[in-house]
Amino acid sequence: MDERSLCNGDFYVGSWLGNLSDGVGKFLWSDGCMYEGEWGQGRKAGRGKIMWPSGATYEGDFLAGCMHGIGTYVGTDGTTYKGFWSMNLKHGLGWKLYANGDMYEGIWKYGLREGLGRYVWSNGNEYIGDWRGGSMSGKGILTWNTNDRYDGFWVDGLEHGHGIYIWANGASYDGMWSKGLKDGKGVFYQVRRVDQGQDLAAEEEKEACLAEHLALPNPHQSSCGLSSDLEIGSLHKNQRSSRIASFENAVITELLKYRDFAAQRDISFDRCWSLEGSLERFISLDMVHPYVEDDFAPVIKMPVSEREYVQGILIKESLIGPMSSMSSRSARRQQHHRPRDIKRPGEAIIKGHRSYDLMLNLQLGIRYAVGKITPLSKREIIPSDLGPQARIQIRFPRAGSQLTPPHQSCDFKWRDYCPVVFRHLRELFKIDVADYMMSICGNDALRELSSPGKSGSVFYLSHDDKYMIKTMRKREVKVLMDMLPNYYYHVREYENTLVTKFFGLHQVKPHGGRKVRFIVMGNMFCTELHIHRRYDLKGSSHGRSTNKVEIDENTTLKDLDLDFVFHLEPSWREALLRQIECDCKFLESQKIMDYSLLLGVHFRARKFPTNSPVSSLITHDMQFSDVGKNSAAADDGLLEEWTSVNGLVLIAHGSGPETNARGSHVRGSMLKLAGKVWEEVDLLLPGTARLHVQLGVNMPARAERILQISKLDAHPEGELFGEVCDVVLYFGIIDILQRYDISKKIEHACKSLQYDSFSISAVDPALYSKRFQSFMQKSFPAS
């Protein structure tokens, strides 16, 4: 043994090999930290104990100066960990007691809970199942101290996928979940005690049902396809105790196995870690769903009702099984509210479609353009990022290249305009890059829409309806490039702007084909609600009517077809008209005209006569739920009165279960309700969802049927028909790339000779802005 004092104040006593500590020794650092144990070539290696100045200690295996192997760590706050380590990180089978009294035993991976494990909270809650990245993810069972439990799939600590929630009294709900909320279809079960005098055959049938129940279904399988109407939901207490005990014994037994193997220095740690697979298989076989009822008497769960939820809100319920008898009035009501299949607009672009190759080129190009710029460090926009020269060009050969992948389409050239600016715009509009690429460039096909306008542009819609892609003419690209700097500053200053949201400008040139330019925009009608009426409103009257004989939900109507006015909450109307004024001033400064307000109307509550044109649209959409006091009215059969009076409900934002009801690219502040303690509000639609209310998105209003808007000047009172209904509005300003150029001036001069110059669309931007705002004031009158 040799004692040495080092020049920096450290002190070592023990064995040496040359100038390196080797063997058994004790080292005391100048800061008070001390290690006593085995050394190898100047580093901690083997068994030892280290004590830090804070009072924390570790005793166990070391390798190359790091905690590696089996060891016990005790923190200053009482935190204790016993188990495997890998380079100073908990890695392998281990047990940890937290300072707050929580306890975890199971598998760790690089410092995080990963794999199979059991976590017990200090309040008595207990989770047994899979972990990923430190959170409950995979299959698992959470049992609360109230004896309620959830048995199913988890993602990031929240119920997600198929799962069964079982109350302490034995009742249960078997269905689908999404981020902690019921979402989709499921079955509710009640409990019935089993007569102890049942014969053996009945008991065997119950055991078979139990065996089937204890095996969790595939999370992607529908929870309503039950093979039996009976399920056993309980086991005896002694069975539960044995299952938990077997799990604990397995952890202790395998921990000892690990320790015995690690003690043999000729066996590497990697070989010890390979035992984890067999350990997980052993534990998973022995602890399959170790939950039971607190009562020895077995119970049978009888299916009572089939339910359907949307983000935690019950939208539909029907009785099933022996309790499915309903009154004729209730049966008619259920039939009346059965959702219908909604015809999605557009034609899917599949192989053989005329636009199939173009779609592949578009998807490849966007994937390349967005993927190339996203990893780059974000910086401020500089002048070189703007203008026609700020572009990226690349060739996509069919066989692939060093920069591009091989593909099934023809060779094509790709051009990406102002990528830095559009990256800022996507971030400004809260666009998630992964979501953006998955929506447009995923495995699902785009849908091609017929153009409702005179421009001849072709529209493509992403499979999830989030994004609209429009082909553009060369002059439109030039206008957008010229106005892009001012457009960026405008949308950055006015977060509630109604002008179209642009996300990317690109060009495709197929080999031997013509150039196709297109812009990616947000779809203003991206909502789960049905848009029953669509209007394109400019404020002009000449040629502003739809000549179609048959009008459906996908028909775009015009100014002369609008026979409603929409009453908004006064402060919301003021905010709307103020924002329209700001947007019109911006467009006027850019010499833009011929833009319009695209308005989507979702009708909620019916107050129309049965022969009204609107009544046929909303009949299939009326649904009800047991939200609040409205369920009482529905149960009493007062459906008509309930939907008319309480079709739209505003609640304080943040109260109750929160849902991710913001649009895919909704940006801006939420609207506030003046004169209330809670200013920001959400729209609660019984039977549908909870929606965030923002300018132009999810806006509740009252639609009042009148004469045509264009005739209101001749009828100041509006000559109302008295037909009123609750609606939800979606709107924004579109077609903002038409300047008042020489062609429009000639059009104005020619049409003015035949028609009233104020009624035509082609007018000076200042007059167009004034007329447009006037029309909006009439369409959204003061209450």
Side-chain angles (χ1 to χ4, degrees), residues 39 58 78 89 126 135 167 297 343 353 396 534 624 713 719:
W39 294 80
Y58 169 81
L89 296 175
E126 178 186 53
S135 299
W167 285 268
K343 178 184 177 183
H353 191 279
F396 282 78
R534 303 165 189 258
F624 65 92
D713 291 334
E719 294 190 12

Side-chain angles (χ1 to χ4, degrees), residues 375-597:
L376 302 179
S377 300
K378 186 179 178 181
R379 58 175 175 81
E380 292 297 322
I381 296 175
I382 57 178
S384 61
D385 296 325
L386 297 160
Q389 301 305 317
R391 61 192 183 192
I392 296 176
Q393 300 184 87
I394 191 170
R395 183 172 174 269
F396 282 78
R398 182 185 178 93
S401 66
Q402 292 182 346
L403 299 176
T404 63
H407 55 87
Q408 301 299 318
S409 181
C410 60
D411 295 1
F412 69 94
K413 294 180 181 179
W414 173 266
R415 179 177 294 179
D416 188 23
Y417 293 93
C418 302
V420 175
V421 179
F422 282 104
R423 176 189 179 177
H424 277 259
L425 287 172
R426 288 192 295 269
E427 294 177 353
L428 199 62
F429 294 133
K430 310 298 183 185
I431 298 297
D432 180 77
V433 175
D435 176 82
Y436 183 72
M437 290 198 291
M438 284 300 297
S439 294
I440 300 176
C441 311
N443 296 327
D444 296 287
L446 303 177
R447 301 199 306 276
E448 182 177 301
L449 309 178
S450 59
S451 173
K454 301 177 181 179
S455 65
S457 298
V458 180
F459 292 82
Y460 302 99
L461 195 61
S462 64
H463 73 95
D464 53 9
D465 295 341
K466 292 181 179 179
Y467 304 100
M468 185 82 73
I469 302 171
K470 174 188 176 183
T471 60
M472 301 179 69
R473 292 170 292 183
K474 185 176 181 179
R475 66 175 183 228
E476 290 178 316
V477 174
K478 185 179 184 305
V479 172
L480 178 57
M481 298 297 289
D482 291 343
M483 69 183 292
L484 191 57
N486 293 322
Y487 171 85
Y488 172 75
Y489 293 124
H490 178 77
V491 298
R492 188 176 67 173
E493 181 178 359
Y494 298 100
E495 62 177 359
N496 291 322
T497 181
L498 298 176
V499 296
T500 306
K501 297 175 175 62
F502 295 130
F503 304 140
L505 179 61
H506 315 285
Q507 176 184 290
V508 169
K509 172 67 168 64
H511 180 69
R514 62 184 182 87
K515 297 177 182 178
V516 180
R517 306 168 186 87
F518 55 89
I519 184 79
V520 183
M521 310 175 290
N523 178 19
M524 294 178 185
F525 296 155
C526 179
T527 173
E528 294 182 356
L529 302 183
H530 302 159
I531 302 299
H532 300 109
R533 278 289 184 259
R534 303 165 189 258
Y535 295 94
D536 183 274
L537 307 174
K538 292 186 177 183
S540 58
S541 57
H542 175 68
R544 299 298 296 163
S545 63
T546 302
N547 298 323
K548 284 189 176 182
V549 177
E550 295 185 3
I551 297 177
D552 58 23
E553 295 177 358
N554 296 321
T555 303
T556 301
L557 305 176
K558 299 180 181 180
D559 302 62
L560 297 181
D561 303 314
L562 181 64
D563 52 359
F564 290 99
V565 293
F566 304 98
H567 296 279
L568 298 172
E569 197 274 335
S571 62
W572 296 355
R573 176 182 183 271
E574 181 182 349
L576 170 61
L577 297 180
R578 185 168 57 247
Q579 186 58 57
I580 289 177
E581 181 182 4
C582 294
D583 291 338
C584 286
K585 285 182 178 180
F586 161 70
L587 296 174
E588 182 182 344
S589 69
Q590 302 300 307
K591 302 186 183 303
I592 300 296
M593 43 77 66
D594 215 23
Y595 49 87
S596 57
L597 185 84

Side-chain angles (χ1 to χ4, degrees), residues 53-81:
S54 62
T57 64
Y58 169 81
E59 183 175 4
D61 295 337
F62 288 85
L63 178 66
C66 299
M67 297 178 288
H68 191 96
I70 301 291
T72 300
Y73 173 87
V74 180
T76 56
D77 57 0
T79 299
T80 303
Y81 173 79

Side-chain angles (χ1 to χ4, degrees), residues 604-624:
R604 286 298 298 178
R606 184 175 63 189
K607 289 187 179 179
F608 292 88
T610 55
N611 59 351
S612 170
V614 179
S615 77
S616 61
L617 289 176
I618 64 176
T619 298
H620 299 285
D621 247 33
M622 298 306 302
Q623 298 176 342
F624 65 92

Side-chain angles (χ1 to χ4, degrees), residues 251-301:
V251 172
I252 297 173
T253 302
E254 294 300 327
L255 185 57
L256 293 176
K257 285 184 183 180
Y258 273 68
R259 184 65 190 92
D260 292 340
F261 276 101
Q264 303 175 25
R265 299 302 176 189
D266 59 329
I267 298 180
S268 67
F269 181 78
D270 289 338
R271 289 181 60 188
C272 294
W273 176 241
S274 68
L275 293 173
E276 177 195 354
S278 61
L279 171 64
E280 285 190 312
R281 287 194 295 270
F282 168 73
I283 295 180
S284 62
L285 287 174
D286 194 67
M287 58 157 291
V288 177
H289 304 279
Y291 61 77
V292 296
E293 296 290 337
D294 292 333
D295 194 341
F296 284 91
V299 296
I300 292 181
K301 293 185 177 180

Side-chain angles (χ1 to χ4, degrees), residues 298-432:
V299 296
I300 292 181
K301 293 185 177 180
M302 302 297 297
V304 175
S305 62
E306 183 177 276
R307 297 179 176 181
E308 185 173 354
Y309 289 85
V310 173
Q311 292 294 303
I313 297 178
L314 181 64
I315 65 171
K316 185 180 180 182
E317 182 174 16
S318 57
L319 298 181
I320 60 178
M323 301 185 64
S324 60
S325 58
M326 302 172 62
S327 66
S328 57
R329 179 177 60 181
S330 299
R332 287 193 301 269
R333 185 175 60 193
Q334 289 290 337
Q335 180 69 22
H336 178 71
H337 296 295
R338 182 175 301 165
R340 60 172 172 170
D341 294 331
I342 299 302
K343 178 184 177 183
R344 302 188 71 185
E347 178 185 1
I349 305 176
I350 59 178
K351 194 168 185 177
H353 191 279
R354 59 185 176 277
S355 301
Y356 182 71
D357 286 340
L358 179 61
M359 181 189 73
L360 293 182
N361 299 345
L362 183 153
Q363 292 176 326
L364 283 169
I366 290 180
R367 189 183 297 117
Y368 170 83
V370 177
K372 180 179 176 63
I373 196 171
T374 299
L376 302 179
S377 300
K378 186 179 178 181
R379 58 175 175 81
E380 292 297 322
I381 296 175
I382 57 178
S384 61
D385 296 325
L386 297 160
Q389 301 305 317
R391 61 192 183 192
I392 296 176
Q393 300 184 87
I394 191 170
R395 183 172 174 269
F396 282 78
R398 182 185 178 93
S401 66
Q402 292 182 346
L403 299 176
T404 63
H407 55 87
Q408 301 299 318
S409 181
C410 60
D411 295 1
F412 69 94
K413 294 180 181 179
W414 173 266
R415 179 177 294 179
D416 188 23
Y417 293 93
C418 302
V420 175
V421 179
F422 282 104
R423 176 189 179 177
H424 277 259
L425 287 172
R426 288 192 295 269
E427 294 177 353
L428 199 62
F429 294 133
K430 310 298 183 185
I431 298 297
D432 180 77

